Amino acid sequence: MANDGNDDLGAAKAEAEQLTTRILELRDAYYERDTVLVSDQEYDGMMHRLEELERLFPELQSQDSPTQTVGGRAQTTLFAPVEHAERMLSLDNVFSIAEFEAWAAKVERDSGRTVDYLCELKIDGLAINLRYQNGMLVSAATRGDGVVGEDVTENIRFIPAIPKRLAGSGHPPLVEVRGEVFFPVAEFEALNAAQLDMGEKVFANARNAASGSLRQKAEGKNAAQLALMRARLGRLHMLVHGIGAWANPPVDSQSKTYELLKEWGLPTSTHYRVVDSAAKASEFIEYYGEHRDSVEHEIDGIVIKVDELALHDELGATSRAPRWAIAYKYPPEQVNTKLLDIVVSIGRTGRATPFAVMEKVRVAGSEVRQATLHNQEVVKAKGVLIGDTVVLRKAGDVIPEVLGPVVELRDGSEREFVMPENCPVCGTRLAPAKEGDIDLRCPNSEFCPAQVQGRVEHIGSRGALDIEALGEVAAAALTRPLYPSEPPLPTEAGLFGLTMAELFPVQVVVRDSETGLAKLTESGAEKTDTPFRRRRQKKDGAYEPEAAEFAGDADFVPSKNAIELLANLSAARVKPLWRILVALNIRHVGPVAARALATHFGSLDAIRGATRDDLAAVDGVGGIIADAVLAWFEVPWHREIVERWERDGVQFSTPGHPGPGAAAEAGGVLAGLTIVATGSLEGFTREGAQEAIIAAGGKAASSVSKNTDFVAAGPGAGSKLAKAEALGLRILDADGFRLLLEGGPDAVRQQDDDAGGQDEDDAV
């Protein structure tokens, strides 16, 4: 019996690790590269199976399990971070009436009575959290990772529907209002018409347009660009769909909350209904499934909530989603189109992915030309032939998916797809990564141009080194140029040693980011670009300085992109250690794990010298990531990247860090002290504040407790500030925080003494 149990545990552990690895890959693709690889149903199926395994074998549930975390991440590079006063959760999904009714039955069983449900449309937009203090709008933040979002307050003020001051009276000291920002269908069409009139690129769909319009920075824009930005913001709308932090609301139901919010001047939907049974909720779902086109904005489903607020507390939530609400996702829209070809794309991890290339067709609000077919077995299972008319849908109204062929329309000219034996980019023979794998990979990880391009593009991404000039075209130019024959970057090892002389002559074929296919000009020729040089122009009657030193042709000068790229690379050499770790492309090491490793160890040498147990014990890391870190350093060409980057000036340590986990024992003005930094502290990024604490010898904690010595709090500080006040901790603003970093606690005490004790204005 014991052996059987061990066998079961071993099999479950292997399956759980495989599921965790795949889910982390999918999350990384979605949140870091804006790439969706599977449908909602397939992703949810993996999550449900992992949850089941962890329920059967609790010892498998670790701190880094996807079941314990929300999939999103805080994006704080462009905007200041704002900590939500109450966490913003996700919603669990169902895809059939039977699944919804099973959820409702469990709700009624757990609550012990019949339940009223509020049914509302699931808006296809961008989630926003509005914070009002005494009726005044003080901040607006994106959802982020559910705990911390991006401060978009200044942009939100240009949306006409959002009140800066609430109407009426009796407003609470603090209330968070959650809603969705979106373009109504008519406004989106008008926006694209205006884009065409100006000769600008049109937006593919309303959701991307809303996100892109709201997440713009005013800095660096001229008057005309600012006017255009504000005009776009003025077309946006918002509808409220819930509340966050609100102490003792004077209402007892979700529907009454909406009525009160409407009285306060907040925009609420007219398309919701309270029903007294799951059967009537199902009727609501079915009605809008047939009348989606009648709504003024795009929807991708229905949200059903328990109406009674007291039951929200009683039913509770998982680590990711409330148990009192569910999202019903509609079956996606389907269209027919022609399958022109199936091409194989090589990603940055070497996976060979067949892509369907189709006649462009509009489906679920956007134009689609290609869709992933995952692997050769999926192509066979779908039964599609090149030349077929195929049925295309957007799974979850997001992911283009080929369902299968319309066999009746075949005329005999169709041909079967044959998976290539060799990598279409570098010619290396494709093979599975390990025995039993269906996916084929190019094993030439070090030198395959497609893989190098993917890794270089990742290095420049927002989640890594955030190098704006190192985007898709620049990465392709550096790794897969049309000219010269030898690319400036055979591997990413030479990135920080690039010179203008290497950049200047480069010409590149512009390719699609997913399929690798060349983009075409109107005449049908391959589209090319010279991203690092431009033709010299006259200014005030004289030519710009010549550039013969680069190319022997004084008609050209370095482009703005080339100048910025080299400047950005120079600045990136001393970026925080966690960003450098993300840039190394270590499997599973995204910003969260990288911050944890950098904060604990302080240097790449210390990380490299740590044991598996040392790595896995770090909060936010765990065994899977520990194994990935150790495996990465076993590869010789990985170590060469580190050596060359270090030789070219990349800083692989946090200045002043005392060593692995020893901040409290080290010297420095904050030695032995625990500091929490929260909110938007002027002059500091979120990670910058944490690194400043560590550099001064202190411990940068993520949560407030009675063991916390100081809390530095700025605008947007939420529950941590409230807890600090309740515990009577010393709270500092940005100036006080700087004083603490420079002179330690004695300097703060001296300031308090000079001021006759802590003045109310010193606290946030």
Side-chain angles (χ1 to χ4, degrees):
M1 293 290 290
N3 287 338
D4 290 342
N6 289 338
D7 290 344
D8 289 345
L9 175 60
K13 181 179 180 182
E15 184 180 359
E17 288 179 350
Q18 185 178 24
L19 285 168
T20 298
T21 297
R22 182 57 174 158
I23 291 168
L24 289 174
E25 288 178 346
L26 296 173
R27 285 186 175 181
D28 181 64
Y30 185 82
Y31 292 110
E32 293 301 300
R33 305 194 302 277
D34 295 325
T35 303
V36 183
L37 299 179
V38 299
S39 67
D40 284 355
Q41 294 97 323
E42 187 174 347
Y43 179 86
D44 282 353
M46 287 185 278
M47 286 291 293
H48 292 160
R49 177 56 180 163
L50 183 57
E51 288 170 348
E52 181 183 9
L53 291 172
E54 292 179 351
R55 178 179 59 80
L56 294 172
F57 303 93
E59 58 267 46
L60 297 180
Q61 189 179 87
S62 62
Q63 61 185 4
D64 60 341
S65 172
T67 65
Q68 303 303 300
T69 58
V70 175
R73 291 178 179 156
Q75 297 290 334
T76 58
T77 302
L78 286 176
F79 298 89
V82 174
E83 186 173 355
H84 307 308
E86 184 173 307
R87 192 159 57 113
M88 294 181 73
L89 297 174
S90 299
L91 285 174
D92 287 333
N93 299 323
V94 293
F95 298 91
S96 69
I97 293 295
E99 286 179 308
F100 162 68
E101 291 177 345
W103 171 83
K106 185 177 188 306
V107 166
E108 297 185 10
R109 185 169 61 249
D110 291 346
S111 61
R113 59 183 185 273
T114 58
V115 173
D116 287 345
Y117 298 96
L118 183 143
C119 308
E120 60 187 358
L121 307 185
K122 188 174 183 297
I123 304 166
D124 198 9
L126 180 69
I128 287 292
N129 185 47
L130 305 178
R131 182 177 300 173
Y132 288 89
Q133 291 181 355
N134 297 311
M136 294 295 295
L137 177 66
V138 294
S139 71
T142 61
R143 178 183 175 278
D145 63 357
V147 176
V148 177
E150 294 174 305
D151 186 350
V152 291
T153 310
E154 292 307 309
N155 286 352
I156 222 78
R157 295 183 189 277
F158 291 97
I159 301 178
I162 299 176
K164 301 0 174 236
R165 179 193 292 273
L166 297 179
S169 60
H171 308 124
L174 171 68
V175 62
E176 284 183 328
V177 178
R178 273 81 189 265
E180 207 82 2
V181 170
F182 61 95
F183 279 110
V185 173
E187 291 288 0
F188 176 64
E189 291 174 352
L191 171 64
N192 267 347
Q195 292 288 102
L196 281 173
D197 288 343
M198 294 183 294
E200 298 286 341
K201 180 181 178 181
V202 297
F203 292 99
N205 58 64
R207 180 172 56 184
N208 287 356
S211 177
S213 297
L214 187 62
R215 298 182 67 255
Q216 295 181 87
K217 296 286 282 186
E219 288 84 349
K221 287 183 167 58
N222 58 36
Q225 290 169 330
L226 277 174
L228 178 60
M229 169 183 162
R230 290 168 182 170
R232 288 179 184 168
L233 291 170
R235 292 184 184 274
L236 286 169
H237 285 229
M238 178 191 173
L239 287 177
V240 170
H241 58 54
I243 55 173
W246 188 356
N248 303 316
V251 288
D252 59 6
S253 68
Q254 186 83 13
S255 52
K256 289 180 181 177
T257 300
Y258 284 5
E259 292 171 7
L260 179 57
L261 295 178
K262 184 178 181 180
E263 291 174 7
W264 286 351
L266 287 158
T268 56
S269 176
T270 59
H271 299 295
Y272 74 87
R273 184 187 308 163
V274 178
V275 297
D276 60 7
S277 69
K280 291 180 180 177
S282 297
E283 291 174 4
F284 185 94
I285 291 170
E286 291 170 344
Y287 175 85
Y288 277 103
E290 297 172 359
H291 298 84
R292 291 171 67 175
D293 293 340
S294 68
V295 182
E296 64 270 20
H297 53 75
E298 293 186 357
I299 64 173
D300 57 1
I302 299 294
V303 176
I304 305 96
K305 302 174 181 176
V306 172
D307 193 37
E308 184 181 346
L309 295 184
L311 276 181
H312 292 193
D313 294 332
E314 185 177 326
L315 292 168
T318 67
S319 61
R320 296 182 297 108
R323 293 189 175 94
W324 45 265
I326 201 77
Y328 180 97
K329 292 290 193 72
Y330 284 125
E333 182 181 337
Q334 298 181 4
V335 297
N336 289 357
T337 188
K338 197 78 169 178
L339 179 61
L340 303 176
D341 201 357
I342 297 177
V343 299
V344 174
S345 172
I346 305 296
R348 66 172 173 142
T349 63
R351 176 180 287 155
T353 303
F355 272 85
V357 180
M358 299 163 289
E359 288 183 353
K360 188 179 293 185
V361 64
R362 189 168 184 83
V363 54
S366 63
E367 290 186 335
V368 174
R369 179 174 175 250
Q370 65 261 335
T372 179
L373 290 168
H374 302 292
N375 56 57
Q376 68 274 21
E377 296 302 319
V378 171
V379 178
K380 290 180 182 177
K382 290 183 180 293
V384 294
L385 302 177
I386 297 170
D388 268 336
T389 296
V390 294
V391 180
L392 177 72
R393 72 170 182 176
K394 273 198 169 181
D397 283 350
V398 175
I399 315 156
E401 178 183 3
V402 173
L403 292 179
V406 183
V407 177
E408 296 82 0
L409 296 179
R410 285 178 175 168
D411 60 12
S413 64
E414 298 80 13
R415 56 190 172 89
E416 187 176 349
F417 166 72
V418 178
M419 188 72 179
E421 295 183 352
N422 298 324
C423 172
V425 179
C426 71
T428 305
R429 190 172 184 85
L430 299 174
K434 60 180 182 293
E435 187 176 352
D437 276 2
I438 295 175
D439 290 333
L440 298 179
R441 295 180 184 268
C442 171
N444 183 21
S445 301
E446 182 177 8
F447 292 113
C448 177
Q451 296 183 59
V452 180
Q453 177 186 342
R455 295 196 300 267
V456 170
E457 192 171 341
H458 170 75
I459 290 169
S461 69
R462 186 178 299 153
L465 293 184
D466 192 23
I467 300 174
E468 187 174 352
L470 191 58
E472 177 188 341
V473 173
L478 294 170
T479 59
R480 304 172 66 180
L482 183 64
Y483 177 86
S485 57
E486 181 66 21
L489 289 182
T491 77
E492 63 266 45
L495 179 63
F496 290 94
L498 285 171
T499 65
M500 186 65 76
E502 291 174 299
L503 298 181
F504 198 77
V506 169
Q507 185 180 25
V508 65
V509 174
V510 181
R511 298 181 181 277
D512 183 272
S513 59
E514 287 188 318
T515 65
L517 289 174
K519 294 184 178 180
L520 304 179
T521 64
E522 291 184 1
S523 65
E526 290 186 345
K527 188 176 181 180
T528 62
D529 189 18
T530 53
F532 303 124
R533 61 185 169 95
R534 62 181 177 84
R535 188 168 294 277
R536 197 166 55 135
Q537 298 175 346
K538 274 188 176 182
K539 287 188 177 180
D540 299 326
Y543 280 107
E544 298 170 294
E546 65 182 9
E549 60 181 296
F550 301 121
D553 189 341
D555 289 334
F556 293 91
V557 293
S559 68
K560 179 183 178 182
N561 194 64
I563 295 168
E564 287 183 351
L565 176 58
L566 294 183
N568 291 163
L569 288 171
S570 179
R573 292 184 175 95
V574 293
K575 285 205 172 183
L577 175 60
W578 73 266
R579 287 191 175 277
I580 304 294
L581 291 174
V582 176
L584 288 174
N585 277 283
I586 303 171
R587 195 178 189 187
H588 302 323
V589 178
V592 175
R595 281 193 183 98
L597 290 166
T599 300
H600 183 84
F601 290 100
S603 71
L604 190 66
D605 284 343
I607 295 170
R608 186 172 175 177
T611 66
R612 183 188 188 276
D613 289 343
D614 291 337
L615 294 167
V618 176
D619 186 25
V621 178
I624 291 174
I625 295 175
D627 289 337
V629 171
L630 293 173
W632 192 87
F633 281 108
E634 291 175 358
V635 180
W637 65 270
H638 290 168
R639 297 194 296 270
E640 182 186 350
I641 293 171
V642 174
E643 291 166 5
R644 288 191 61 183
W645 283 14
E646 193 166 31
R647 189 163 66 241
D648 289 330
V650 174
Q651 180 176 278
F652 283 108
S653 62
T654 300
H657 194 288
E665 303 172 5
V669 295
L670 300 185
L673 300 179
T674 299
I675 320 294
V676 173
T678 181
S680 180
L681 289 160
E682 185 179 357
F684 296 91
T685 61
R686 188 184 183 197
E687 63 272 7
Q690 294 174 341
E691 286 153 11
I693 294 167
I694 294 169
K699 177 183 178 182
S702 59
S703 59
V704 175
S705 71
K706 63 181 180 179
N707 297 320
T708 304
D709 295 288
F710 292 90
V711 174
S719 56
K720 293 179 185 178
L721 175 59
K723 188 171 183 179
E725 291 171 337
L727 292 172
L729 302 178
R730 180 66 169 92
I731 301 168
L732 306 173
D733 60 10
D735 290 337
F737 182 48
R738 273 187 285 270
L739 184 64
L740 179 69
L741 294 172
E742 294 167 1
D746 288 342
V748 174
R749 292 191 196 99
Q750 184 62 52
Q751 184 189 59
D752 290 346
D753 291 342
D754 292 343
Q758 183 182 2
D759 188 89
E760 289 183 1
D761 290 339
D762 291 333
V764 177

